[in-house]
Amino acid sequence: MPDPVLETRGLTIRFGGHVAVDHVSCAFMPGELTAIVGPNGAGKTTYFNIISGQLPASEGNVLLRGEDITRLPASERTRRGIGRAFQLTNLFPALSVFENVRLAVQAKAGRGMRFLSMASAHRSLAARAEAVLEEVRLTRLAGQPVSALSHGDQRKLEVALLIALEPSVFMFDEPTAGMSVDEAPVVLDLIARLKAEGGHTILLVEHKLSVIRSLADRIIVLHNGALAADGPPAEVMASAVVQEAYLGQELADV
Amino acid sequence: MNILSGNRPGALPLTLLLIVVVGCLALAPFLFPGTRALDTAAKICIFILLAASYDLTLGYGGIVSFAHTMFFGLGAYGVALMLDHLGRGWLPMIGGAAAGAAAAAALAFVIALFSLRVRAIFFAMITLAVASAMAVLVSQLSGLTGGEDGLNYQIPRELTPAFRIGKLFDVTVNGKILNYYLVFAGCTVLFLLLLRIVSSPFGRVLEAIRENDFRAEAIGYPVLRYRAAATCISAAVAALAGALYAIWLRYVGPGTTLSMEIMIDILLMVVIGGMGTMYGAILGATLFVLAQTYLQDLMGAGAEALSAVPLAARLLDPDRWLLWLGVLFILSVYFFPTGVVGRLRAMAARSARST
């Protein structure tokens, strides 16, 4: 069995007396797509935030390829290959769509500290940014400021930034939330394609069970911050814990 | 080579306005003879550079600092102290400017490291405290800095009126004019450098950080390091502007370089001109220094002309120039919230759409 790419050991965060993530230990394998499910407030996004470095762990460790990254700042984790798309769209509003992606490409290339060359002279970065925009079907909006985009297009751009980073771990936090029925497939196809490419470790917080069924290799269930179930989709979905955790919420709308 | 670094003014009226301002400054000794006019032109050049360096942190980095005059003063005092203690000469002058710039960058680095982690408002307060402490220190260390009286010193003879070269277009070209061109050239080169920096990959990251520092960190830019670098560059350029000012004035005192009033002036220049545009510094500083220098004269003339009208004459009394300067600023900030540059660009964009 190969070594896990990403691993959390006893990962815990407390806000005052409230334990939002409670000793979650989990290993994520290369090429595996793991869906993370659980009711609202179960700690899914918080778990993501500790892994990608937006929140400091109170206890436990995050390991990337066996290396402890628990104390590293978010930017350094991204540089090492943890890529994150956010649930609430989190972009650079006054900058153009193209510039948003170009910034992510530039970050990946590690060229941010160039003071005396012109940004536009780095043609390979621009070309890569254009290719990423093409992938998410946003080419026609490249020149628009983000603030002029529809919600669905902003979600696509959110995913584009993640793809531009070329991470080894992709973390999607409800990538299709609030998207229309016509728009969601663009993002889901992208995730499916990433999975098909193989080798990427993908973590996906998602509510729609149809999506989970078609994409996930494995499901983990968080309930009140703790790991409630972990296994192949069919097994987890059938388990009593999940039925209880969801209390018929999402399972009902299959 | 693309001298404007691909960063164009972006609107025809704006381009024309900039050409007029820069042209006037370039030919100032020949277009506007007289000591006072030349003094004003040199002051405009230096404040354009100072405001532009402030725009790098405020407009591009979104960092509010009140320590900018401190960096300005470090450069000025660097030159003054060297020339005062080592005697007149090119080497002490250049050495003083370099030392001032290095000291400013080092101090900016320390402040940035200790305080950029905290929220913006605390950073602003810390810079205010450090700048005030520096101003007190300079006025107390009178043995070294001349205290409140400041320092008078000699600059190389080639830069003084005593050094005569000849006549050009009926104007006697002397060292003073050479000195002016030193100031003009220094400010031009450094301004173009700043323009280059804001168009560089680094400058784009700064904009990203201003827009959303959380996401900038999340896509892999260590925000603290970028902010610290911007603060250091901005401080070093401000110090070089201070050094040029010290060379031009042949005098340095707390009132000319370190005072809080100058800090507020710079802030207003950047805001009136347009934050995050660089070109705004040119227009903001020019308008500001011109108003500061000539408003009083203009009002004097106005009061004279209206001397028959009782109330108007008293309102336009030259002693009330600060009141009117204040009114002008309030109006300009009210009508041009994005600055003169922002306004002109928006107008150009509108007319481009309607055609």
Side-chain angles (χ1 to χ4, degrees):
Chain A
M1 192 161 157
D3 292 330
V5 175
L6 179 73
E7 195 179 349
T8 67
R9 288 188 188 155
L11 206 61
T12 303
I13 191 165
R14 293 184 198 90
F15 299 113
H18 173 66
V19 186
V21 173
D22 192 0
H23 295 91
V24 176
S25 297
C26 208
F28 302 95
M29 297 298 161
E32 188 182 56
L33 193 151
T34 309
I36 299 165
V37 301
N40 289 328
K44 303 179 299 276
T45 297
T46 311
Y47 182 54
F48 263 29
N49 282 337
I50 312 171
I51 293 175
S52 54
Q54 274 76 37
L55 285 172
S58 310
E59 240 179 76
N61 303 90
V62 183
L63 290 92
L64 183 67
R65 289 183 213 89
E67 233 179 305
D68 192 334
I69 59 163
T70 320
R71 302 274 161 251
L72 293 180
S75 56
E76 182 57 31
R77 297 185 201 205
T78 306
R79 308 264 317 124
R80 291 183 184 208
I82 296 189
R84 166 88 191 268
F86 291 85
Q87 179 185 11
L88 300 172
T89 302
N90 207 324
L91 300 157
F92 306 109
L95 308 183
S96 72
V97 170
F98 172 76
E99 181 63 13
N100 269 261
V101 179
R102 206 200 58 82
L103 278 162
V105 175
Q106 179 181 291
K108 167 69 185 172
R111 296 205 196 156
M113 278 289 179
R114 306 275 177 99
F115 298 91
L116 295 177
S117 58
M118 270 152 61
S120 53
H122 295 251
R123 300 232 181 272
S124 58
L125 303 188
R128 170 79 187 129
E130 277 161 19
V132 173
L133 282 177
E134 184 60 49
E135 267 191 80
V136 294
R137 313 271 181 275
L138 282 178
T139 306
R140 77 201 148 80
L141 296 171
Q144 298 284 318
V146 170
S147 47
L149 259 55
S150 71
H151 175 79
D153 286 334
Q154 291 197 12
R155 298 297 306 162
K156 285 188 214 163
L157 185 56
E158 182 73 39
V159 172
L161 257 59
L162 176 53
I163 290 169
L165 291 173
E166 298 175 54
S168 45
V169 179
F170 289 77
M171 302 173 74
F172 293 96
D173 195 351
E174 299 196 34
T176 60
M179 284 180 101
S180 71
V181 193
D182 318 327
E183 290 170 324
V186 174
V187 170
L188 294 175
D189 287 352
L190 256 166
I191 298 175
R193 215 181 318 147
L194 282 172
K195 190 190 161 185
E197 278 173 21
H200 307 303
T201 304
I202 303 170
L203 276 63
L204 172 69
V205 171
E206 184 55 77
H207 280 299
K208 296 188 194 83
L209 281 178
S210 54
V211 172
I212 296 171
R213 279 227 177 83
S214 64
L215 287 174
D217 301 310
R218 171 192 178 194
I219 295 181
I220 65 174
V221 183
L222 288 181
H223 187 47
N224 291 334
L227 192 64
D230 179 356
E235 198 177 294
V236 171
M237 282 183 181
S239 80
V241 195
V242 178
Q243 302 285 350
E244 193 201 346
Y246 272 89
L247 235 56
Q249 261 187 22
E250 278 86 359
L251 282 185
D253 61 32
V254 179
Chain B
M1 188 197 127
N2 189 338
I3 201 161
L4 293 180
S5 311
N7 190 331
R8 295 206 171 72
L12 188 62
L14 177 60
T15 313
L16 293 177
L17 207 54
L18 289 169
I19 290 173
V20 169
V21 170
V22 175
C24 285
L25 288 174
L27 300 173
F30 304 99
L31 291 176
F32 315 104
T35 318
R36 190 166 175 222
L38 201 59
D39 266 333
T40 308
K43 196 175 175 190
I44 290 175
C45 291
I46 287 159
F47 275 84
I48 286 174
L49 181 60
L50 188 58
S53 65
Y54 193 58
D55 196 23
L56 180 69
T57 44
L58 181 72
Y60 286 86
I63 304 163
V64 182
S65 154
F66 289 109
H68 213 61
T69 44
M70 176 177 76
F71 302 131
F72 185 55
L74 277 171
Y77 273 94
V79 167
L81 286 172
M82 286 286 205
L83 286 173
D84 189 45
H85 291 269
L86 299 178
R88 98 198 302 193
W90 290 93
L91 206 61
M93 193 176 89
I94 295 166
L107 192 56
F109 183 72
V110 173
I111 297 176
L113 223 53
F114 280 103
S115 50
L116 275 176
R117 278 176 202 284
V118 296
R119 296 235 312 272
I121 181 76
F122 295 115
F123 178 75
M125 291 301 112
I126 287 165
T127 57
L128 190 59
V130 175
S132 308
M134 182 64 81
V136 171
L137 198 67
V138 167
S139 80
Q140 294 300 310
L141 289 174
S142 46
L144 184 69
T145 62
E148 288 296 324
D149 295 334
L151 292 169
N152 283 294
Y153 42 85
Q154 301 253 296
I155 58 171
R157 190 172 165 277
E158 291 79 359
L159 297 178
T160 62
F163 181 73
R164 284 169 191 279
I165 299 165
K167 270 188 172 277
L168 188 65
F169 305 120
D170 279 346
V171 177
T172 315
V173 178
N174 59 19
K176 190 82 182 166
I177 290 177
L178 284 187
N179 196 344
Y180 177 77
Y181 279 109
L182 173 72
V183 169
F184 180 78
C187 291
T188 307
V189 168
L190 288 166
F191 183 84
L192 290 174
L193 178 74
L194 286 173
L195 208 54
R196 187 83 178 183
I197 289 174
V198 300
S199 319
S200 71
F202 173 79
R204 299 295 184 82
V205 179
L206 274 191
E207 279 187 301
I209 290 173
R210 178 195 63 202
E211 287 294 308
N212 186 346
D213 56 349
F214 173 86
R215 190 55 188 269
E217 178 84 31
I219 60 173
Y221 295 115
V223 168
L224 180 68
R225 220 177 294 166
Y226 281 88
R227 282 193 170 142
T231 313
C232 289
I233 295 171
S234 160
V237 175
L240 292 174
L244 289 170
Y245 204 33
I247 295 167
W248 176 255
L249 289 179
R250 287 185 279 169
Y251 161 79
V252 160
T256 53
T257 53
L258 290 170
S259 78
M260 205 23 81
E261 267 170 63
I262 298 179
M263 187 62 243
I264 305 293
D265 291 353
I266 307 169
L267 188 65
L268 280 170
M269 288 173 197
V270 173
V271 171
I272 290 171
M275 282 193 283
T277 61
M278 278 296 150
Y279 293 111
I282 296 183
L283 298 183
T286 306
L287 287 174
F288 198 98
V289 176
L290 284 180
Q292 237 180 5
T293 316
Y294 294 109
L295 190 61
Q296 220 170 344
D297 298 354
L298 203 67
M299 285 173 60
E304 195 107 340
L306 294 174
S307 54
V309 190
L311 188 65
R314 299 211 18 210
L315 272 175
L316 285 180
D317 189 291
D319 287 345
R320 305 208 207 300
W321 75 282
L322 269 174
L323 170 79
W324 286 105
L325 195 61
V327 170
L328 281 179
F329 292 148
I330 293 170
L331 289 178
S332 66
V333 172
Y334 185 80
F335 286 107
F336 306 122
T338 51
V340 180
V341 170
R343 182 62 185 242
L344 289 173
R345 281 181 178 164
M347 275 160 58
R350 242 203 322 277
S351 66
R353 260 202 307 278
S354 63
T355 51

